[in-house]
Amino acid sequence: MKRYLIALALVCLCFIGCRPPNLPDEIFDYINSLGRDLDLVSEPHVDSFDDEIFIDSIVHGPPGRIDLRLPNYVYFQGVIQAEDHLVVAGQVRIVGGLLGAETGVAALYSGAMVTSNPQAFRDAGEALQGGPDGVSTRVRSWREVPNP
Amino acid sequence: MMRKRGVALVTILIVAAALLAIVSIGLRLGSEGVLFSSQAHKRNVALAAAEAGVYEAIERLQVDKNFSGAANATLEESGASFEIRVDNNIASAGVAEVVSTGIVGSTRRTLKVELEADASNFQSISLGGKVYVYERVYANGISGTQERLVRPGHIHSQYASGVTYQGQDYEGRSIPAELHATGDLTTRSGSLKSDLGVTAATEASSVNRQPYELDRDRMLQDFDRGSAATAVGPGNVVSSDTLLTGDQVFANEIVLENGATLHIEGGYAEFLGGVRGDGQVVVDRDVVIRAGGNFDPAVEGGIRLYSNESVLLVHPEVSTDDDGFDIPRDQNTAVGDYFAEMPMEAVYEMPTGLPLDAPRGVEFFEWFHANMSGSPSQEFSLWLDGNNTELYPGLSQATKDWLEKSASYVGAMTQWANSGGNAP
């Protein structure tokens, strides 16, 4: 009987105390609070570009210019802001920016990549608030004009 | 006798007058040349003063991004002065216009310059909370989707309650947690990282940097609820302001056209086919996105997506199970990892001085290893090690190391290439 009770206690502890190993506590609690099952099913992914074109863009292309595509990667173009938690899982390339997690945490997994793109922020216009007091600029155009 | 002396006097007077005229003309031409040089000099000094005015405007914006209006100053050494007028629309239109006039006496020259915020202002990742890192994660940057010049990618968090960047083991795999940033890694906390390998330009803690954020109210400022569409348009295109109420699950890719706002009011949104375009998405609850494989180079900025709760962005091959997220690893992910780790400088170095016989595609890496292990050609050695000239600068050690590392990936790359980009 004693052994049975100990085994039962261990099983209960396991259910209560064991959290999934690949989730931070905060994300585990958040997913449990969703009120729905997050049933994501794996779907096959096939790259839509040719290996020669991709490798050539790096090796034979104009110096300094990169091809933003990567083998096996998928993409989100733009800026993401989440007030609470942020999770990026797998070989996902965000071309823009990743903001937020003010009241939560960020969990970045296995190939997650964020590539800053200033145009994504400029396009936000006045919806983009905050940031540092000063701004670093570059010249877009420069010409001499008649005196005013 | 008297007649001959009179003729001599007249002759002398004529010659003297001629000489005087020649000297006068010479002096006048000389002074005009001096005047010309003097005027050209003043114009050059005025232009330099106008340029100084432009740099003054750039410096003022570095201190105060809202600086606008007029300013002037005198340059000590030359005595020239400049007057600048700054019309600052960086926040709304992305551009500040600077008109700078350089002044030297009565000489003036004016420059008109347009300035835009450059890539260094924007963090790749700018957060308020703790960051958990599983396996390899990357931050980098570009100048824009048209130019695609490499820029540093910075990571910052305002988290101040302990270790900010926490490495975590992914159960059942032995890939250590690593964070690769081509720019700076910083945190407001006094404690930067734990159990985490880091590659970054600089690492610093106790850095207080106010983050940018999307303002939900401003995103919806011009959103007209009364005239908004109440359903996504044909072809899953959102072409105008659209208001959807309650939980939304989109099985197919949603495309937002420029200027359109999709507002999910009071519910969550699951974009299981992805979401792309140029508009805005505002979701009152959480968002799940299964990202798509189409990268559109014509899109310059992309979507502004705001969630009042959380966002989960996943690769299509990721699933959820009892362990959390099941993220498969195979030959394709290995190839993706290899190219994700490419050093920034490699894209500058590899094309420069590349031998003409360098093959295309995966064969390039086979050619590299064949030369490294055998007798390299003179052209190959020149490309690899350079000769301290601009034509042949050589490869940096980081690029060489990355190319050497490809030896263990060539098989996977070949399979990836032969299978239309996706190995079985």
Side-chain angles (χ1 to χ4, degrees), chain A residues 144 147, chain B residues 43-44 46-47 50 100-103 107-111:
Chain A
E144 187 167 4
N147 293 318
Chain B
R43 284 180 55 78
N44 289 339
L47 181 63
S100 175
T101 300
I103 305 163
T107 305
R108 290 171 167 250
R109 291 184 78 174
T110 301
L111 294 171

Side-chain angles (χ1 to χ4, degrees), chain B residues 50-203:
Chain B
E51 290 171 355
V54 174
Y55 297 126
E56 173 73 16
I58 289 172
E59 275 201 38
R60 291 208 180 201
L61 287 168
Q62 279 181 337
V63 172
D64 176 9
K65 66 186 175 194
N66 298 314
F67 171 71
S68 201
N72 59 69
T74 301
L75 303 173
E76 268 185 34
E77 205 168 307
S78 65
S81 61
F82 60 75
E83 294 173 353
I84 58 172
R85 193 184 74 242
V86 177
D87 188 11
N88 187 347
N89 292 307
I90 285 182
S92 55
V95 173
E97 186 182 89
V98 179
V99 176
S100 175
T101 300
I103 305 163
V104 178
S106 60
T107 305
R108 290 171 167 250
R109 291 184 78 174
T110 301
L111 294 171
K112 183 183 260 191
V113 174
E114 285 184 334
L115 302 173
E116 62 183 14
D118 77 9
S120 64
N121 294 290
F122 306 110
Q123 314 282 309
S124 300
I125 300 174
S126 177
L127 305 172
K130 189 178 177 97
V131 182
Y132 293 95
V133 178
Y134 294 80
E135 298 187 321
R136 294 189 197 103
V137 169
Y138 308 91
N140 42 52
I142 51 170
S143 59
T145 52
Q146 304 306 305
E147 292 175 315
R148 303 192 315 279
L149 297 173
V150 170
R151 290 288 182 267
H154 307 293
I155 305 176
H156 176 73
S157 176
Q158 284 286 85
Y159 185 68
S161 304
V163 170
T164 301
Y165 303 101
Q166 177 69 54
Q168 299 278 90
D169 290 330
Y170 189 92
E171 181 89 347
R173 297 212 285 246
S174 58
I175 298 173
E178 291 175 3
L179 192 51
H180 296 265
T182 56
D184 306 326
L185 178 68
T186 53
T187 177
R188 189 175 177 184
S189 164
S191 183
L192 183 73
K193 61 186 179 182
S194 173
D195 297 323
L196 180 67
V198 168
T199 308
T202 64
E203 300 173 37

